[in-house]
Amino acid sequence: MKIFISSDAMEWFHGEMEATNGDTIRFYARYGGSSPVHDAFSLGVTKDTPFEPSATVQIEHIMFFVEERDEWYFDGHDLYVEIDSKLNELAYVYKKA
């Protein structure tokens, strides 16, 4: 799996999560909500330290990652992180790899 972060999403991370050089940001499966790939689970995001990352991307000296234990959630999809312009929130798009 691969992770793609749009430039608008990068602005969101800088503004909303105060992400700076050297930060590591994790995408993880959480119980509750729903997504196009799983009912009853949604995607969470937090600053965290990688333990066993299975997918990583570094943009502007910030590493985004998914831990091996959460890879099941993506079900063979790549993750595209964008912005929902109406809500000014992160929006996740899943595309089969």
Side-chain angles (χ1 to χ4, degrees):
M1 93 166 269
K2 295 180 182 175
I3 303 168
F4 301 90
I5 312 287
S6 74
S7 58
D8 289 342
M10 282 303 298
E11 288 181 32
W12 186 93
F13 283 109
H14 287 299
E16 297 297 321
M17 291 186 75
E18 299 180 354
T20 60
N21 288 355
D23 282 346
T24 52
I25 297 176
R26 176 179 166 211
F27 297 102
Y28 64 95
R30 65 180 182 180
Y31 184 71
S34 66
S35 76
V37 288
H38 287 285
D39 288 333
F41 289 91
S42 58
L43 196 60
V45 62
T46 188
K47 287 184 181 178
D48 200 357
T49 302
F51 177 67
E52 292 181 325
S54 65
T56 64
V57 66
Q58 183 137 348
I59 302 171
E60 298 177 18
H61 305 287
I62 299 168
M63 186 175 87
F64 298 87
F65 69 99
V66 171
E67 286 287 344
E68 193 173 292
R69 69 180 177 262
D70 290 316
E71 193 170 342
W72 64 269
Y73 172 84
F74 297 93
D75 191 32
H77 292 80
D78 290 334
L79 173 63
Y80 290 77
V81 182
E82 302 172 353
I83 290 293
D84 180 324
S85 59
K86 292 180 184 174
L87 300 173
N88 195 31
E89 294 179 350
L90 294 179
Y92 304 114
V93 178
Y94 305 90
K95 296 182 183 178
K96 227 18 163 171

